[in-house]
Amino acid sequence: MTESAAHVRVMEETAAYWRVLFDNPPFNIVDATIFEGLQDLLARMDASPSLRVVVFESGNPEFYLAHFDLTGKTGNIMTAVGPSGLPILMDTFVRLTRSPVVSIAKIRGCVRGVSSEFVLACDMRFASRENTRLGQPEVGVGVNPGGGAAERYGYVNRALPDAELDGFVDVLARRIASFDRRPIAAVKKLVNDVALPSADRLLDALIAFQTALTWPEAQQRIQALLKRGLQRDGEVESGWPALLGTLLDET
Amino acid sequence: MTESAAHVRVMEETAAYWRVLFDNPPFNIVDATIFEGLQDLLARMDASPSLRVVVFESGNPEFYLAHFDLTGKTGNIMTAVGPSGLPILMDTFVRLTRSPVVSIAKIRGCVRGVSSEFVLACDMRFASRENTRLGQPEVGVGVNPGGGAAERYGYVNRALPDAELDGFVDVLARRIASFDRRPIAAVKKLVNDVALPSADRLLDALIAFQTALTWPEAQQRIQALLKRGLQRDGEVESGWPALLGTLLDET
Amino acid sequence: MTESAAHVRVMEETAAYWRVLFDNPPFNIVDATIFEGLQDLLARMDASPSLRVVVFESGNPEFYLAHFDLTGKTGNIMTAVGPSGLPILMDTFVRLTRSPVVSIAKIRGCVRGVSSEFVLACDMRFASRENTRLGQPEVGVGVNPGGGAAERYGYVNRALPDAELDGFVDVLARRIASFDRRPIAAVKKLVNDVALPSADRLLDALIAFQTALTWPEAQQRIQALLKRGLQRDGEVESGWPALLGTLLDET
């Protein structure tokens, strides 16, 4: 098994209903292997005419997907182009949204930055009421969100008691899996025609993000975060947005 | 009284405030007579310069309006064109939204599919907290919504205890009826300029819906629903969305 | 101190965080001096590269900002043009939204009409749960909203117990004040590119408003409101929307 296939594991419950498990220890940091796994998954989804619905979940109850790797392990996701003609980062999200297959994020744990943008690219989001932490903390790190962040009421379709989350999503996924593929595709197309931002707008955000990463003050904040323990220390990884207001203070 | 006038009954509370009662037993199915009644109403609204507000309600507490007739009694609503240049189905909803008169849906009972699209075409929706069932179950029937469905928080402006619903809507309607017609029309125009989808987008949905109705798998699901008792059996008519996940199972 | 500087008082907590106090007794009516003060503030904001966040609050706990002056003291705000090329009323709101500085409305008391449009032009709104009254009562006065009114869930970002409001907003403002200016500006630009209505649409509303002010029936309603005590009597000023449904009744 390749590293990316280990980090993005596909389980075919039925021909119509797949589950995908994120498993990139210790914190499910979003690095190049996660995007490779998602790109492989999208190719398999395109080649599976019986598929109706994919549920994305995490093997780590504390971290659904943590955030963008800040130590440089992001490979070519901003420099290479995917099948949509957009850079891989954007291509992955846009193809997921445009897919005729329904995507559901079943959320437990931390979901920040690019991970928040991933769940927003899914068609639906269901979250553990006791154990979900969502955030777009980019500005506090000195950059802007780059992958299609959104602000809206209804970010999560429903927050459920943790003990009910798995059962609820499974029943919903099996119900969707019983439907025909063509009306699902027709509805997703009609919604996307109205709601999916244009490539121009998406690239505005991505280019602004890439530019922001080059600013010395952003690099200073990123280095300060890593020095405080980000991507090494579990407590810091869980609670780092609370540090953002004091990031440049002397310690 | 014509059949359509009996199914869409207009009661002039005052010159400024009308109530409209849906009454098409046994389930308030939306068939050609409902659209004829609404078209006649729109013509009367256009010719009534004192009118400010119309409240739409149901004579049947279990069914506000059930859903599109699936037995073929839909007349010319998708083949003939109305005064807006759009097919009658769409023309009815768009002219209601564009009317200088305020439209309020006072909802008790089931509101599904095309009926959901009707209440969304109204300016405001107030619903019985104990007795409202909303849904766009089209995909489970094998087709897509065709009449301008929307997904949003705030679908219902307010859900009220059933015992307070009539009083609340009546006070609101009489208040609106006391206002001048020109500012109401000005505000509705400003809102519609921003919020009403273009005819192109509306027709995309309608044409996709008409196409979907021709698919053999959609016809199979529709026939299965009718065989299970839709449009005949009150319990099935109340609860049929629960059947959609098992519609093609052997029974 | 000029009259406008007294009515819109700027307190520099730090170089990055300013508070602005509305103080135009007895009701914080929005007249020409409020717009002069806001225009002066915007010029100072543009010339202050260390500034990150401005919190707008009221010196009068009953009236955040009451409403547009209806006795003619509105100066040139609809006839003169500001730096954006739009009339002063619109220019003030659009420049606040486009500013790289974050704007927060901290709301206690009445906020109606043009004042509602001002808080909507801010980036965030936090309100006292016990002591906030919001409204766009224009149609009941015979005109339409003219300054960029909106209807949405999430009008207020959060309503807090009154005793917690000051502390909450202060912590948030100091946190934002610790962030870099460039990512704040980048995010605001990306959001505005998607969410700020075009000048065409904004001017549609303003021109419709100016036209509506000339209608005899609007003037009749405005004069009736002033006769009932608006802008003179504190109780009427607090509760006048309740009068709108009976404004033309004989008294």
Side-chain angles (χ1 to χ4, degrees):
Chain A
M1 190 186 275
T2 64
E3 194 180 11
S4 65
H7 292 176
V8 180
R9 297 220 302 271
V10 182
M11 295 166 289
E12 306 197 6
E13 294 281 322
T14 72
Y17 166 25
W18 296 358
R19 289 166 58 212
V20 175
L21 199 78
F22 295 119
D23 186 21
N24 186 17
F27 305 127
N28 272 348
I29 298 287
V30 180
D31 58 17
T33 68
I34 297 288
F35 276 94
E36 283 167 37
L38 289 171
Q39 286 278 324
D40 290 345
L41 171 69
L42 285 163
R44 282 178 65 183
M45 287 166 63
D46 288 347
S48 303
S50 297
L51 185 62
R52 304 288 194 273
V53 58
V54 176
V55 173
F56 293 92
E57 51 196 272
S58 168
N60 181 336
E62 298 309 313
F63 297 96
Y64 181 80
L65 282 176
H67 54 78
F68 215 54
D69 185 279
L70 293 177
T71 66
K73 299 180 190 159
T74 53
N76 66 354
I77 69 170
M78 288 191 282
T79 52
V81 160
S84 70
L86 292 163
I88 295 288
L89 184 151
M90 208 97 257
D91 174 85
T92 306
F93 295 165
V94 166
R95 283 169 62 210
L96 186 65
T97 303
R98 284 195 190 141
S99 166
V101 173
V102 174
S103 48
I104 301 179
K106 185 173 79 179
I107 304 173
R108 285 189 175 89
C110 297
V111 184
R112 291 176 181 136
V114 72
S115 317
S116 165
E117 294 162 351
F118 168 78
V119 301
L120 286 165
C122 290
D123 295 314
M124 287 180 260
R125 290 150 293 284
F126 297 97
S128 161
R129 194 172 291 167
E130 297 92 336
N131 181 23
T132 296
R133 298 193 195 187
L134 303 163
Q136 298 275 168
E138 283 88 340
V139 171
V141 187
V143 301
N144 61 275
E151 165 277 322
R152 63 174 295 198
Y153 281 71
Y155 179 112
V156 167
N157 291 69
R158 202 181 295 186
L160 295 116
D162 193 271
E164 299 174 17
L165 180 62
D166 292 338
F168 178 90
V169 171
D170 193 63
V171 166
L172 175 64
R174 289 180 191 278
R175 183 177 160 96
I176 293 170
S178 81
F179 295 164
D180 296 328
R181 189 173 163 104
R182 287 200 288 186
I184 296 174
V187 163
K188 285 199 59 172
K189 184 183 181 312
L190 290 167
V191 171
N192 286 335
D193 284 349
V194 175
L196 187 64
S198 71
D200 283 336
R201 285 284 175 255
L202 293 169
L203 288 174
D204 282 349
L206 187 59
I207 289 164
F209 174 67
Q210 290 175 282
T211 303
L213 282 175
T214 69
W215 293 336
E217 63 263 40
Q219 281 305 319
Q220 188 187 0
R221 287 178 186 265
I222 289 169
Q223 295 311 316
L225 263 176
L226 293 170
K227 197 175 155 198
R228 298 265 186 112
L230 198 76
Q231 301 196 197
R232 286 182 290 112
D233 177 326
E235 274 190 51
V236 171
E237 191 57 59
S238 281
W240 61 277
L243 304 177
L244 293 178
T246 60
L247 208 55
L248 303 186
D249 296 0
E250 299 296 327
T251 53
Chain B
M1 191 187 273
T2 65
E3 195 180 9
S4 65
H7 293 176
V8 181
R9 297 220 301 270
V10 182
M11 295 165 289
E12 307 197 6
E13 293 282 321
T14 72
Y17 167 25
W18 296 358
R19 290 165 59 212
V20 174
L21 199 78
F22 295 120
D23 186 21
N24 186 16
F27 304 127
N28 273 348
I29 298 287
V30 180
D31 58 16
T33 68
I34 297 288
F35 276 94
E36 283 167 36
L38 288 171
Q39 285 279 324
D40 290 345
L41 171 68
L42 284 163
R44 281 177 66 183
M45 287 166 63
D46 288 347
S48 303
S50 297
L51 186 62
R52 304 287 194 275
V53 57
V54 175
V55 173
F56 292 92
E57 51 194 272
S58 168
N60 182 337
E62 298 309 313
F63 297 96
Y64 181 80
L65 281 175
H67 54 78
F68 216 54
D69 184 280
L70 292 177
T71 65
K73 297 180 190 159
T74 53
N76 66 354
I77 70 169
M78 289 192 281
T79 51
V81 161
S84 70
L86 292 162
I88 295 287
L89 184 151
M90 208 96 258
D91 173 86
T92 306
F93 294 166
V94 167
R95 284 168 62 207
L96 186 65
T97 302
R98 283 195 191 143
S99 166
V101 173
V102 173
S103 48
I104 301 178
K106 185 173 78 180
I107 304 173
R108 285 190 175 88
C110 298
V111 184
R112 290 175 181 138
V114 72
S115 317
S116 167
E117 294 162 351
F118 168 77
V119 300
L120 286 165
C122 290
D123 296 313
M124 287 180 259
R125 290 151 292 285
F126 297 96
S128 162
R129 193 171 292 167
E130 297 92 337
N131 180 23
T132 296
R133 299 192 194 189
L134 302 164
Q136 299 276 170
E138 282 88 340
V139 171
V141 186
V143 300
N144 62 275
E151 165 278 321
R152 64 175 293 198
Y153 281 71
Y155 178 112
V156 167
N157 291 68
R158 201 181 296 186
L160 295 116
D162 194 273
E164 298 174 18
L165 180 63
D166 292 338
F168 178 90
V169 171
D170 193 64
V171 166
L172 175 64
R174 290 181 191 278
R175 182 177 160 96
I176 293 170
S178 82
F179 295 164
D180 297 327
R181 189 172 162 105
R182 288 201 287 186
I184 296 174
V187 163
K188 285 199 59 173
K189 184 182 182 313
L190 291 166
V191 171
N192 286 334
D193 284 349
V194 175
L196 187 64
S198 71
D200 284 337
R201 286 285 176 253
L202 293 168
L203 287 174
D204 282 349
L206 187 59
I207 289 165
F209 173 68
Q210 290 176 281
T211 302
L213 282 176
T214 69
W215 293 336
E217 63 263 40
Q219 282 303 321
Q220 188 186 2
R221 287 179 187 264
I222 290 169
Q223 295 311 316
L225 263 176
L226 293 170
K227 196 174 155 198
R228 297 267 186 111
L230 197 76
Q231 301 196 197
R232 285 181 292 111
D233 177 326
E235 274 190 50
V236 171
E237 190 57 58
S238 281
W240 61 277
L243 305 176
L244 294 178
T246 59
L247 208 57
L248 303 187
D249 297 359
E250 298 297 325
T251 52
Chain C
M1 190 186 272
T2 64
E3 195 180 9
S4 65
H7 293 175
V8 180
R9 297 219 302 269
V10 182
M11 295 165 289
E12 307 197 6
E13 294 280 321
T14 73
Y17 166 26
W18 296 358
R19 289 166 58 213
V20 174
L21 199 79
F22 295 120
D23 186 22
N24 185 17
F27 305 126
N28 273 348
I29 298 288
V30 180
D31 58 17
T33 68
I34 297 288
F35 276 94
E36 283 167 37
L38 289 171
Q39 285 279 323
D40 290 346
L41 171 68
L42 284 163
R44 282 178 64 182
M45 288 166 62
D46 288 346
S48 303
S50 297
L51 186 62
R52 304 289 194 274
V53 57
V54 175
V55 172
F56 293 92
E57 51 195 271
S58 168
N60 182 338
E62 299 309 313
F63 297 95
Y64 181 80
L65 282 175
H67 55 78
F68 215 54
D69 185 280
L70 292 176
T71 66
K73 297 180 191 160
T74 53
N76 65 354
I77 70 171
M78 288 192 282
T79 52
V81 161
S84 70
L86 292 163
I88 295 287
L89 184 152
M90 208 96 256
D91 173 86
T92 306
F93 295 167
V94 166
R95 283 169 62 208
L96 186 65
T97 302
R98 283 195 192 141
S99 166
V101 172
V102 174
S103 48
I104 301 178
K106 185 174 80 180
I107 305 172
R108 285 190 175 88
C110 297
V111 184
R112 289 177 182 135
V114 72
S115 317
S116 166
E117 294 162 351
F118 168 78
V119 302
L120 287 165
C122 290
D123 295 312
M124 287 180 259
R125 289 150 294 284
F126 297 97
S128 162
R129 195 172 290 167
E130 297 91 335
N131 181 23
T132 296
R133 299 194 196 187
L134 303 163
Q136 298 275 168
E138 281 89 340
V139 171
V141 186
V143 301
N144 62 275
E151 166 276 324
R152 64 175 295 199
Y153 280 71
Y155 179 112
V156 167
N157 291 68
R158 201 180 297 185
L160 296 117
D162 193 272
E164 299 174 18
L165 180 63
D166 292 337
F168 177 90
V169 171
D170 193 63
V171 167
L172 175 64
R174 289 180 191 279
R175 182 176 160 96
I176 293 169
S178 82
F179 295 164
D180 296 326
R181 189 173 162 104
R182 287 200 288 187
I184 296 174
V187 163
K188 285 199 58 172
K189 184 183 181 314
L190 290 167
V191 171
N192 286 334
D193 284 349
V194 175
L196 187 65
S198 70
D200 284 338
R201 285 284 176 255
L202 293 169
L203 288 173
D204 282 350
L206 187 59
I207 289 164
F209 174 68
Q210 290 176 284
T211 303
L213 282 175
T214 69
W215 292 337
E217 63 263 40
Q219 281 304 319
Q220 188 187 1
R221 285 178 188 265
I222 290 169
Q223 295 311 316
L225 263 176
L226 293 170
K227 197 175 155 197
R228 297 265 187 113
L230 198 76
Q231 300 196 198
R232 286 180 291 111
D233 178 326
E235 277 192 47
V236 171
E237 190 57 57
S238 281
W240 61 277
L243 304 177
L244 293 178
T246 59
L247 208 57
L248 303 186
D249 296 359
E250 298 297 326
T251 52

